[in-house]
C-alpha cells in the first residue's frame, strides 16, 4: 500500500541553522505530495505542496522538491527561526480532490535561540 | 483564526464509558469531513469520511459500531468512541475539505483521549 516515511525526531537546531527533514514515499500511482505543519495548540496547516515530478513547493522560506527518481520530498530551510518550532508532517494523496491523505509519523522540530 | 475547531482538546475517561468529540467548521459549510487517529510515534491514520446527511464511510479495519460518526449539519461532525477501552487511547484529529477553496484540507487541533 501507499506509505510515507519521514525522519524520526525530535530534531533540535540552533537559530539560523540549515534544516533538512527527510521524507520518502511509496505509492502505486503518481501522488501529490504535501508538507503540513502543526504549531503548538493548533491544527495542522498546509505548508507547501507539489503535484508532479520536479515541482518545487515553497512557502515561508521552506522548500521541497518532488523527486520521482528517488521517491523523495525532503523539506529544507536555509535559516530557521524559533517560530519554526513545530511538528512537521509529510503526506501524499492519490485522490483527485486532495482528500484521503497518507501521512508520515511527524517530526518534532525545536529551534533554540 | 482557526477554521476548524475540535472539542474537547483533552479528555480522560474510565474504561467502558463513551466519549464524544466534536468537530466544527467555523469558516464555511462542509459537506465532507475526515477523522484521523494517531497513536504515539505512528502516522495519522484515516479512520472514516464523514458525509453530511448520510452514513460515514469507514476505512478497512475501523469498527463502525465502535466509532460512531454523525454529520448532522454542514458545520458539525461528531465522533463517539463507544465503550472505550485503554487501547482506544489516542490522538483524534478531524479535517474539513474546503470545497471551493482548491480542495485544501483544514484541520482541527486534535483531541487527546486517555482511557483509564
Amino acid at each position: 500500500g501507499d506509505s510515507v516515511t519521514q525522519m524520526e525526531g525530535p530534531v533540535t537546531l540552533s537559530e539560523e541553522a540549515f534544516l533538512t527533514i527527510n521524507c520518502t514515499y511509496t505509492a502505486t500511482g503518481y501522488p501529490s505530495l504535501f508538507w503540513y505543519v502543526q504549531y503548538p495548540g493548533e491544527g495542522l496547516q498546509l505548508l507547501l505542496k507539489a503535484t508532479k515530478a520536479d515541482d518545487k513547493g515553497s512557502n515561508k522560506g521552506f522548500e521541497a522538491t518532488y523527486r520521482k527518481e528517488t521517491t523523495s520530498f525532503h523539506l529544507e530551510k536555509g535559516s530557521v527561526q524559533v517560530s519554526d518550532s513545530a511538528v512537521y508532517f509529510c503526506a501524499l494523496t492519490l485522490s483527485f480532490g486532495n482528500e484521503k491523505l497518507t501521512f508520515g509519523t511527524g517530526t518534532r522540530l525545536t529551534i533554540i535561540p | 483564526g482557526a477554521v476548524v475547531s475540535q472539542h474537547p482538546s483533552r479528555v480522560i475517561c474510565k474504561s467502558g464509558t463513551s466519549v464524544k468529540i466534536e468537530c466544527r467548521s467555523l469558516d464555511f459549510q462542509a459537506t465532507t469531513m475526515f477523522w484521523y487517529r494517531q497513536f504515539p510515534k505512528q502516522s495519522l491514520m484515516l479512520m472514516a469520511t464523514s458525509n453530511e446527511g448520510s452514513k460515514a464511510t469507514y476505512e478497512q479495519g475501523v469498527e463502525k459500531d465502535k466509532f460512531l460518526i454523525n454529520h448532522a449539519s454542514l458545520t458539525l461532525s461528531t465522533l463517539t468512541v463507544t465503550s472505550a477501552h485503554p487501547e482506544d487511547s489516542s490522538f483524534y484529529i478531524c479535517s474539513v475539505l474546503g470545497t471551493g477553496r482548491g480542495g485544501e484540507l483544514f484541520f482541527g487541533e486534535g483531541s487527546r483521549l486517555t482511557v483509564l
Side-chain angles (χ1 to χ4, degrees):
Chain A
D2 305 327
S3 66
V4 175
T5 302
Q6 66 180 100
M7 184 175 181
E8 275 197 40
V11 174
T12 303
L13 294 173
S14 297
E15 204 166 19
E16 299 183 2
F18 183 86
L19 168 71
T20 300
I21 300 178
N22 289 338
C23 171
T24 57
Y25 67 89
T26 303
T28 52
Y30 297 98
S32 294
L33 302 174
F34 306 82
W35 276 100
Y36 279 83
V37 58
Q38 185 174 27
Y39 298 105
E42 299 182 18
L44 278 75
Q45 304 171 24
L46 179 63
L47 179 60
L48 54 84
K49 67 179 182 182
T51 58
K52 61 183 189 296
D54 299 326
D55 268 2
K56 178 187 284 187
S58 61
N59 185 25
K60 299 182 179 180
F62 290 89
E63 292 183 341
T65 302
Y66 189 144
R67 300 284 188 203
K68 186 181 171 194
E69 63 276 15
T70 54
T71 61
S72 64
F73 193 56
H74 304 321
L75 182 69
E76 295 182 337
K77 186 173 185 180
S79 177
V80 291
Q81 306 300 314
V82 173
S83 57
D84 294 326
S85 298
V87 181
Y88 293 81
F89 292 88
C90 186
L92 67 82
T93 185
L94 285 164
S95 59
F96 178 75
N98 291 335
E99 65 266 32
K100 288 205 171 185
L101 292 167
T102 298
F103 284 92
T105 54
T107 302
R108 182 173 298 278
L109 173 67
T110 301
I111 308 300
I112 53 177
Chain B
V3 176
V4 178
S5 175
Q6 269 184 254
H7 179 79
S9 57
R10 291 179 182 272
V11 57
I12 300 173
C13 70
K14 292 182 179 179
S15 186
T17 60
S18 294
V19 174
K20 181 185 287 187
I21 300 170
E22 294 184 347
C23 177
R24 293 185 183 274
S25 175
L26 303 178
D27 206 27
F28 51 87
Q29 294 182 330
T31 55
T32 304
M33 295 184 177
F34 302 91
W35 286 96
Y36 291 83
R37 176 173 55 186
Q38 185 181 28
F39 292 108
K41 298 190 177 182
Q42 296 187 27
S43 305
L44 274 76
M45 299 298 296
L46 179 64
M47 299 175 66
T49 302
S50 170
N51 301 297
E52 189 268 335
S54 65
K55 291 182 179 179
T57 304
Y58 291 81
E59 296 299 304
Q60 191 173 8
V62 179
E63 300 174 59
K64 62 181 180 181
D65 295 328
K66 173 76 170 175
F67 299 100
L68 299 180
I69 292 173
N70 184 7
H71 193 158
S73 78
L74 287 171
T75 58
L76 174 64
S77 175
T78 60
L79 169 68
T80 301
V81 183
T82 61
S83 187
H85 291 283
E87 58 265 29
D88 299 322
S89 298
S90 189
F91 194 54
Y92 294 89
I93 301 175
C94 73
S95 69
V96 172
L97 185 62
T99 53
R101 290 176 169 233
E104 185 173 345
L105 281 176
F106 297 89
F107 287 81
E109 63 269 47
S111 300
R112 184 166 300 283
L113 169 64
T114 302
V115 184
L116 302 176

